[in-house]
Amino acid sequence: MEMSFGNPDDLLDKMQWPGLREDVHLLTGQPDAQGRDTGMLHDALNGKYYTLNLESWRLISLMNEGHSVKDTWQIVQEHRSDDVGPEQLMAFFEFLEKNYLIRGSAPSEVKKQSLKDTLMHSYVFFRIPLLHPEKFLQKTLHLVQAFYSQWTFYIIMVFALVGLFQLSQQWDLFWNSFNFLTTSDGIMLSLVCLVVLKLGHEFSHAYTATQLNQRVRQMGVAFIVFWPILFTDTTDAWRLERKGRARIDLAGVKFELSISLIALGLWGLFPEGLMKSLCFYLFTVASISTIFVNLNPFMRFDGYYLMSHFLKIDNLQPRTFAWLNWAFRRAFFDWKAPASFDTGRTEKQIYLWYGIGCLFYRVFITFSIALAVYTFFFNTLGLLLVCVEVYLFLLRPLIKQAEFIREHRDLIGHRSWPRYITITAILALILIPLPTTRSIPAVVAPAWIKTVYAQEDGILNQALPEQLPANILFSNPELENSISEAHVNLKKLNLSLQLFETKGALAGSKVQLKSEIKAEEAKLISLLTRQKKLSIYLPKEHHVLWSNPYLTAQQWVSKQTPLLRYVQDENPNLRIKMFVTAYDKENLKSGQEIRFYSQASDQIFILYIKNIEPFAVTALDYPSMASSFGGPLASVGTSAGNLTLKETRYAVWAESTVKAQYLPAGIPGSVRLDLSSQSILMRTLKAGTRIWKQESWQ
């Protein structure tokens, strides 16, 4: 049934009503947000319900009674205050046909979905039915009836009051328990609690629907961007009034909150041990999952349906996105066709703000999942997910919008200047090359840097020096005892040798004794050499760049522990070290002029690039550049006191050609780099290609 917009009377004469399928039933619905009566179509075969406005419901009712399409349309129009063309009727017929609700339409007559669309839809959402629990629920309903009583509510409130009182008395213990959540055991126990809670959550929906005499078709596992969630099919609840549907939707939330409050009460009563920890996990997991997941209105969980019932707007998300699409076409293309459904001023505000929030939330969640996959699992898979999501949430909607506008271009109005201005501005912003200036972190570099390490195990006698000259002194009681013992042993051996010579001992005994004396002398020399290493002298012409923050006076220090770094500024020309990204590295070359802005001077220094290192920097020798010390580079400290970069950076050295103002080594600054003009599109493509090549090999 193709849509065409010719003479209205000719269009109405040609239209024929084939009738609803035998298993599709026309029902009365609930009033909408503006108090208007609505109707409903029930597709018994597929278990789906469709809400109709009053005009659509009247149309089907009259046509089912034998009236022609033209006569029916005229009857309906007599009861409307606004003038609506027959193209709306045609669109309504197409809606019925696409959803296989009228005779002659069936899924087999519709073209099969392309493999690409199937994969894209399955990536975003798919579900696996596991149970058909209707008989089980009916047989066991009497076992859970007590939980719906008023007495159960009072008991839960008692647990809640006890728990809140105990929480106020043991707040420090409760707060410190969160530290265990991040451990491997804590994560596993949280997952177990989450599974148990969600099973109870879904069965709460199912039992409540059964109590209201509604069929529960199936239960199982659904996947949203590969994230598993349990689901319960309570589609038949659409037969109920909004209050009944809200009871079913609220049942799972009430279950988790009840478990949460009972667990909180028991947590305060149990002593330290397994049961207290289990109650803590049940409370925290149930509370967090209820607030941030179940009551979230931006995903189709309980909060979404409760919000729809409260606003009295069925199919809130589809209606929101349909209205946003129409509003976009209306604003930028002066769209002549009216919206596919009537909206009041309040509803328009709801659709606008809810739609914006929903879009931002979906993009945030999907990109967060892709980032988690990229960070913790497979880099290439994470990048692939990002590409898929850019297509799903940005490119595909734009492509579909463009195809729809092209197919119905006769509905574009004459007031089209906003369209041309907007499209021109967007294309100009994306395609026109623009000059770009980049700020690159840099630091004043000395002529050389030397790291001082502990030469021997010992106790640090005083704090590390901040200025030179200085001596770094260590003490080692064990080494001092060994030296004293060596002196005593050597003295005894020498006395024994003198005694042998006096008494005329055998020559063999003298040779053996002399050998022992030489060995003891060598041992003493070795110990004295080690003792000298307990004192480290640093000359005056150097100054300290960094000292190990983890070392304090009277602390035992192991051999080869870094103590400090000192530098010597003998080079009269200013020398800096830049930390550049892979993108910036591609725009640099040896001999290129750059401008350096130091935090210690208002002067702008002109320097020239001398060397570009081919490999990424891992260690950071300058604490002033580290994020932990307020610097611009993300870094992490090691147990040995060293600093390691958390991001990929390359070292680039630059130097002035003339004598410049003296700047102490380690002074941070930045280099302003003027890049060649490139469009946003070209920069994005280059960056994406570079990241893909870099990460796909990891």
Side-chain angles (χ1 to χ4, degrees):
M1 193 177 291
E2 298 292 334
M3 182 181 290
S4 61
F5 300 99
N7 186 288
D9 292 331
D10 293 341
L11 180 61
L12 291 172
D13 289 334
K14 294 178 181 179
M15 294 175 65
Q16 299 293 328
W17 173 242
L20 294 173
R21 284 195 350 246
E22 293 181 359
D23 49 4
V24 176
H25 309 291
L26 187 63
L27 309 173
T28 56
Q30 301 296 317
D32 61 12
Q34 299 178 359
R36 297 171 300 192
D37 292 330
T38 63
M40 186 179 295
L41 283 177
H42 174 213
D43 184 355
L45 179 63
N46 297 307
K48 294 182 178 180
Y49 290 81
Y50 302 88
T51 301
L52 307 174
N53 58 27
L54 184 59
E55 288 77 14
S56 301
W57 185 83
R58 283 176 178 169
L59 274 171
I60 297 178
S61 299
L62 291 171
M63 288 187 293
N64 281 345
E65 293 174 1
H67 293 80
S68 66
V69 174
K70 185 175 182 180
D71 293 341
T72 301
W73 182 253
Q74 291 174 352
I75 294 173
V76 172
Q77 284 292 81
E78 292 175 359
H79 294 84
R80 292 184 63 99
S81 58
D82 53 342
D83 185 20
V84 180
E87 60 272 7
Q88 263 197 319
L89 178 61
M90 193 67 181
F92 177 59
F93 274 34
E94 286 193 349
F95 162 77
L96 296 175
E97 185 179 28
K98 287 180 179 178
N99 289 279
Y100 325 126
L101 299 173
I102 57 178
R103 295 173 183 170
S105 64
S108 59
E109 298 175 13
V110 182
K111 291 182 179 179
K112 290 185 178 180
Q113 193 177 31
S114 67
L115 178 61
K116 180 189 71 174
D117 292 338
T118 302
L119 291 175
M120 291 298 178
H121 182 269
S122 298
Y123 159 73
V124 176
F125 176 81
F126 65 95
R127 63 184 189 177
I128 304 173
L130 300 176
L131 299 174
H132 297 281
E134 187 174 7
K135 293 182 179 179
F136 171 80
L137 294 171
Q138 291 174 351
K139 290 180 179 180
T140 57
L141 179 61
H142 66 282
L143 300 177
V144 298
Q145 287 286 10
F147 295 106
Y148 292 93
S149 67
Q150 198 73 16
W151 283 105
T152 303
F153 173 77
Y154 293 145
I155 294 172
I156 292 172
M157 289 300 101
V158 170
F159 275 104
L161 293 175
V162 172
L164 291 173
F165 174 76
Q166 293 292 336
L167 183 62
S168 65
Q169 302 297 313
Q170 306 179 56
W171 174 252
D172 291 339
L173 176 62
F174 179 82
W175 181 255
N176 292 330
S177 299
F178 279 97
N179 296 329
F180 189 66
L181 283 174
T182 57
T183 64
S184 58
D185 292 339
I187 293 173
M188 290 301 298
L189 190 54
S190 298
L191 290 175
V192 172
C193 292
L194 185 63
V195 172
V196 173
L197 286 169
K198 292 308 174 185
L199 283 172
H201 178 107
E202 296 304 324
F203 273 99
S204 297
H205 288 308
Y207 276 119
T208 305
T210 304
Q211 187 187 44
L212 296 174
N213 298 317
Q214 301 303 311
R215 180 184 177 190
V216 178
R217 296 175 178 271
Q218 56 189 12
M219 301 175 70
V221 181
F223 292 84
I224 300 178
V225 196
F226 299 121
W227 183 263
I229 59 172
L230 300 177
F231 77 91
T232 301
D233 186 353
T234 58
T235 307
D236 282 2
W238 281 98
R239 293 175 176 271
L240 300 173
E241 297 182 353
R242 294 187 189 278
K243 185 177 180 180
R245 282 183 272 164
R247 280 187 59 187
I248 296 175
D249 295 331
L250 197 57
V253 174
K254 289 171 64 177
F255 170 81
E256 291 200 39
L257 287 179
S258 299
I259 295 297
S260 174
L261 295 175
I262 293 173
L264 179 62
L266 294 175
W267 175 86
L269 298 176
F270 279 124
E272 288 292 334
L274 177 62
M275 294 305 298
K276 193 178 187 72
S277 299
L278 182 61
C279 290
F280 169 78
Y281 279 100
L282 284 173
F283 171 75
T284 52
V285 173
S287 302
I288 293 172
S289 66
T290 298
I291 295 173
F292 294 102
V293 179
N294 297 323
L295 292 178
N296 178 6
F298 298 118
M299 299 294 285
R300 291 198 179 188
F301 300 144
D302 301 334
Y304 164 75
Y305 293 105
L306 290 171
M307 183 178 179
S308 298
H309 300 327
F310 175 76
L311 297 174
K312 295 183 179 180
I313 302 176
D314 296 328
N315 301 315
L316 178 60
Q317 276 192 11
R319 290 171 71 90
T320 295
F321 293 139
W323 184 85
L324 287 175
N325 284 330
W326 173 84
F328 170 80
R329 294 190 291 266
R330 185 78 169 178
F332 292 98
F333 295 92
D334 191 24
W335 203 250
K336 293 187 292 187
S340 57
F341 48 88
D342 298 331
T343 54
R345 183 176 180 180
T346 303
E347 285 179 298
K348 290 179 180 178
Q349 293 295 322
I350 292 172
Y351 293 149
L352 175 63
W353 294 111
Y354 176 76
I356 293 174
C358 193
L359 288 172
F360 274 103
Y361 179 79
R362 284 189 175 186
V363 171
F364 168 75
I365 286 297
T366 51
F367 274 88
S368 297
I369 294 175
L371 183 61
V373 173
Y374 174 85
T375 305
F376 300 108
F377 297 100
F378 307 103
N379 293 1
T380 304
L381 179 58
L383 292 173
L384 182 61
L385 293 182
V386 170
C387 295
V388 171
E389 286 156 8
V390 168
Y391 171 77
L392 286 176
F393 294 102
L394 181 61
L395 297 180
R396 190 173 71 163
L398 292 176
I399 292 171
K400 286 189 173 182
Q401 190 73 257
E403 290 177 348
F404 183 87
I405 293 172
R406 180 178 59 82
E407 292 175 359
H408 304 90
R409 51 186 174 273
D410 52 336
L411 294 177
I412 298 176
H414 299 291
R415 189 172 56 86
S416 57
W417 59 268
R419 169 186 54 174
Y420 294 118
I421 293 177
T422 303
I423 293 176
T424 302
I426 293 175
L427 290 177
L429 182 64
I430 295 176
L431 300 178
I432 294 179
L434 300 173
T436 305
T437 300
R438 298 268 294 176
S439 179
I440 300 174
V443 63
V444 177
W448 50 263
I449 301 176
K450 184 174 181 179
T451 302
V452 179
Y453 296 90
Q455 301 298 311
E456 190 64 47
D457 297 340
I459 299 173
L460 182 63
N461 291 343
Q462 74 282 330
L464 294 173
E466 297 181 357
Q467 295 180 346
L468 303 182
N471 271 328
I472 303 177
L473 300 177
F474 295 87
S475 59
N476 189 328
E478 183 180 352
L479 179 61
E480 292 171 0
N481 290 335
S482 298
I483 292 174
S484 299
E485 290 178 0
H487 277 294
V488 172
N489 292 335
L490 187 60
K491 188 175 181 180
K492 290 180 178 180
L493 290 172
N494 284 323
L495 289 174
S496 298
L497 180 61
Q498 292 176 6
L499 183 62
F500 280 178
E501 290 178 347
T502 303
K503 294 183 176 181
L506 297 175
S509 299
K510 292 182 180 179
V511 171
Q512 182 179 357
L513 192 57
K514 288 181 180 179
S515 176
E516 291 179 1
I517 291 174
K518 287 183 179 180
E520 195 65 28
E521 287 177 343
K523 178 181 177 181
L524 180 60
I525 293 173
S526 175
L527 292 173
L528 293 174
T529 302
R530 291 178 57 191
Q531 187 182 41
K532 288 182 180 180
K533 293 180 180 180
L534 294 176
S535 177
I536 302 175
Y537 175 74
L538 302 176
K540 181 178 180 180
E541 59 269 18
H542 305 147
H543 73 268
V544 177
L545 177 66
W546 168 84
S547 58
N548 194 327
Y550 298 98
L551 301 182
T552 57
Q554 302 306 313
Q555 179 180 344
W556 181 269
V557 179
S558 301
K559 186 178 180 180
Q560 295 302 316
T561 298
L563 304 177
L564 53 79
R565 295 189 183 95
Y566 65 89
V567 299
Q568 183 177 23
D569 297 324
E570 296 177 344
N571 192 347
N573 299 335
L574 179 63
R575 188 168 182 259
I576 68 169
K577 182 179 182 180
M578 302 157 54
F579 297 87
V580 305
T581 63
Y583 174 76
D584 295 329
K585 182 184 174 186
E586 295 177 357
N587 294 279
L588 297 174
K589 58 183 179 180
S590 182
Q592 182 176 342
E593 181 182 297
I594 59 173
R595 292 167 292 163
F596 175 66
Y597 298 80
S598 169
Q599 294 184 5
S601 174
D602 295 332
Q603 181 180 348
I604 301 175
F605 299 91
I606 305 298
L607 299 93
Y608 297 89
I609 295 177
K610 295 297 182 182
N611 182 37
I612 302 175
E613 295 188 3
F615 303 107
V617 178
T618 55
L620 183 60
D621 296 328
Y622 304 91
S624 59
M625 300 297 290
S627 56
S628 53
F629 293 91
L633 299 177
S635 58
V636 61
T638 64
S639 58
N642 296 315
L643 293 169
T644 304
L645 286 174
K646 295 174 64 177
E647 54 187 344
T648 303
R649 295 277 179 164
Y650 297 85
V652 176
W653 300 89
E655 192 173 324
S656 63
T657 56
V658 296
K659 185 175 181 179
Q661 173 188 348
Y662 170 76
L663 292 175
I667 296 296
S670 62
V671 170
R672 305 290 172 83
L673 184 64
D674 295 326
L675 302 179
S676 58
S677 298
Q678 286 185 345
S679 65
I680 294 177
L681 177 62
M682 187 57 64
R683 284 203 297 267
T684 303
L685 291 176
K686 285 186 176 181
T689 303
R690 182 180 63 254
I691 293 174
W692 180 266
K693 288 181 179 179
Q694 176 182 341
E695 300 295 343
S696 61
W697 291 97
Q698 295 187 5

